Amino acid sequence: TAATMAALCVLVEKNRHLKELDISANNLPVRQLLDFMRVIGKDRKLTHLDLSWNSLMRPEETIVTKLSDEAQQEIDRTMQLIKEK
């Protein structure tokens, strides 16, 4: 739910020791994942994030580029920050 994702965002923001996070298979909608990615983009300790089996695309879509340009840019920026760690 949105409340659960908001709580997770607060947890990640406050936790300075979190290195790995697995939130796979939670059927999280894209909007909530984007909000979460903004939070983890600020985290310099997180080295592994598993988002598999979430709603990154609709069944009728074949790639994530159906997202808005802004959302795609946010995903790209966050993934680059994670790679740089």
Side-chain angles (χ1 to χ4, degrees):
T1 68
T4 302
M5 184 54 75
L8 182 59
C9 288
V10 170
L11 173 80
V12 170
E13 282 180 319
K14 294 183 184 245
N15 189 318
R16 300 290 179 225
H17 305 287
L18 185 66
K19 292 183 179 180
E20 296 183 16
L21 182 61
D22 182 342
I23 56 172
S24 62
N26 281 291
N27 199 29
L28 299 170
V30 172
R31 178 77 252 157
Q32 289 179 10
L33 286 172
L34 291 174
D35 292 341
F36 181 69
M37 292 184 84
R38 286 185 186 96
V39 170
I40 65 167
K42 300 173 190 173
D43 186 308
R44 295 290 181 208
K45 300 283 187 210
L46 191 64
T47 58
H48 177 81
L49 174 63
D50 187 349
L51 295 173
S52 61
W53 296 102
N54 280 292
S55 301
L56 297 177
M57 63 182 126
R58 294 177 190 92
E60 68 275 7
E61 296 174 332
T62 56
I63 55 175
V64 178
T65 55
K66 298 286 185 179
L67 298 172
S68 71
D69 289 338
E70 177 186 348
Q72 187 62 49
Q73 289 172 357
E74 186 69 29
I75 290 171
D76 293 343
R77 185 187 67 77
T78 301
M79 294 309 292
Q80 184 61 36
L81 288 171
I82 290 171
K83 288 178 185 175
E84 290 173 0
K85 291 181 186 181

